[in-house]
Amino acid sequence: MTEKAAQLEQLLKDYGSIAIAFSGGVDSTYLAAVAQRVLPGKVLLLNARSPSFPAEEAEFVAEFAKTWDLPLRVVETQELAIKQYGENLPSRCFFCRTEMYSQLKPIAEETGMAVLADGANMDDRSDFRPGAKAAKKWGIRHPLQDVELTKDEIRALSRELNLPTWDKPAFACLASRIPYGEKITKSKLDRVERAEIALRARGFRVYRVRSHEDLARIELGQDELGRAFRMREELVTAMRDVGYAYVTLDLQGYRSGSMNEVLDLPKVEV
């Protein structure tokens, strides 16, 4: 792991400068911190904002950039205007990322950044990620993948750097809460965000509210399921308050990409 971290530092030095598609997640935050250490004054954070990006994450992005003295550009993306995205096809992420990179890439070039990179790690290679095709099309670099860093290694290295994200739960855009084939709208994204705020306010740490039309399917960390069942009446009330008619607790608990379980598709080549 230490050797990989050293390789990452050398790779970034070889770039000379870097713009980072920055979400504030575990991976992009670690990449930004390392880049700032080895390329001070030659790092630019680019944060794409849309209705699928929670307000809480936007606050973290701004705070991190300020704390680490990193320039930040916020770009409003318009993926909801893209038909294939709104229809929520399994290839949805390709269109979302295409919209994002089409706006971030020109900024990286205009500001003289040698590369535009993201926080994709080695574990991402084994998941269904249509967005990887968009990244390849736009020439996005993946330095964490290039040195073969895994999510667990990135968390451990983030802890060594005292980054607040070292134990941050995994994050995905709010659109990932809506089943493929069900139309994505701003009101649905807003409802999911309010529902997850309600869970966070009640002390849950690992959570997703999968939104199936009028039904909220709550996924929680395995160690939180028991408490959730004991407070089920309160959770039902909270979900109904944000607009759901029916509420269910998923007995399998949280798992990344659970909406992909219904798909029978080959893995995306990165």
Side-chain angles (χ1 to χ4, degrees), residues 173-191:
C173 78
L174 295 173
S176 68
R177 282 45 160 187
I178 300 174
Y180 296 119
E182 180 183 328
K183 188 174 182 180
I184 297 174
T185 65
K186 185 178 184 303
S187 62
K188 289 180 180 179
L189 296 173
D190 290 345
R191 182 174 62 173

Side-chain angles (χ1 to χ4, degrees), residues 181-247:
E182 180 183 328
K183 188 174 182 180
I184 297 174
T185 65
K186 185 178 184 303
S187 62
K188 289 180 180 179
L189 296 173
D190 290 345
R191 182 174 62 173
V192 168
E193 182 173 14
R194 294 196 306 273
E196 294 193 347
I197 288 173
L199 292 180
R200 185 167 61 252
R202 287 163 175 79
F204 292 101
R205 178 168 173 75
V206 178
Y207 52 80
R208 291 286 188 273
V209 175
R210 307 295 186 183
S211 181
H212 301 258
E213 295 290 358
D214 291 330
L215 183 145
R217 175 169 59 86
I218 301 173
E219 294 180 9
L220 299 170
Q222 292 291 333
D223 60 342
E224 298 182 297
L225 289 173
R227 184 167 73 90
F229 188 75
R230 289 191 296 273
M231 58 189 300
R232 58 190 181 277
E233 292 184 5
E234 181 178 346
L235 294 181
V236 168
T237 298
M239 295 301 106
R240 286 180 173 171
D241 283 347
V242 301
Y244 289 103
Y246 307 101
V247 184

Side-chain angles (χ1 to χ4, degrees), residues 20-29 32 45-49 53-54 56-62 64 72 97 100 104 117-119 165 168 171-173:
I20 299 173
F22 186 68
S23 68
V26 177
D27 305 318
S28 63
T29 298
L45 303 184
L46 300 176
N47 178 236
R49 298 276 175 86
F53 194 74
E56 182 186 41
E57 295 298 319
E59 293 172 4
F60 174 83
V61 164
F64 177 82
L72 169 67
R97 291 305 176 101
M100 181 178 76
L104 301 190
D118 66 11
T165 48
K168 184 177 182 178
F171 167 76
C173 78

Side-chain angles (χ1 to χ4, degrees), residues 127-149:
D127 196 7
F128 173 64
R129 294 182 181 270
K133 288 187 176 181
K136 184 175 182 179
K137 175 182 177 182
W138 285 91
I140 310 304
R141 302 294 294 270
H142 313 299
L144 302 180
Q145 277 187 0
D146 290 344
V147 300
E148 300 185 353
L149 278 168

Side-chain angles (χ1 to χ4, degrees), residues 27 90-94 97 119-135 145 151 170-172 180 254 256-257 260 263 265-270:
D27 305 318
S91 55
R92 175 194 69 230
C93 290
F94 172 82
R97 291 305 176 101
N121 64 60
M122 280 300 290
D123 297 335
D124 295 329
R125 286 179 174 269
S126 61
D127 196 7
F128 173 64
R129 294 182 181 270
K133 288 187 176 181
Q145 277 187 0
K151 174 71 80 173
F171 167 76
Y180 296 119
Y254 166 73
S256 177
N260 294 336
L263 299 179
L265 296 171
K267 301 300 182 185
V268 174
E269 294 182 0
V270 178

Side-chain angles (χ1 to χ4, degrees), residues 37-48:
R37 289 178 60 184
V38 301
L39 292 172
K42 298 180 180 179
V43 182
L44 173 64
L45 303 184
L46 300 176
N47 178 236

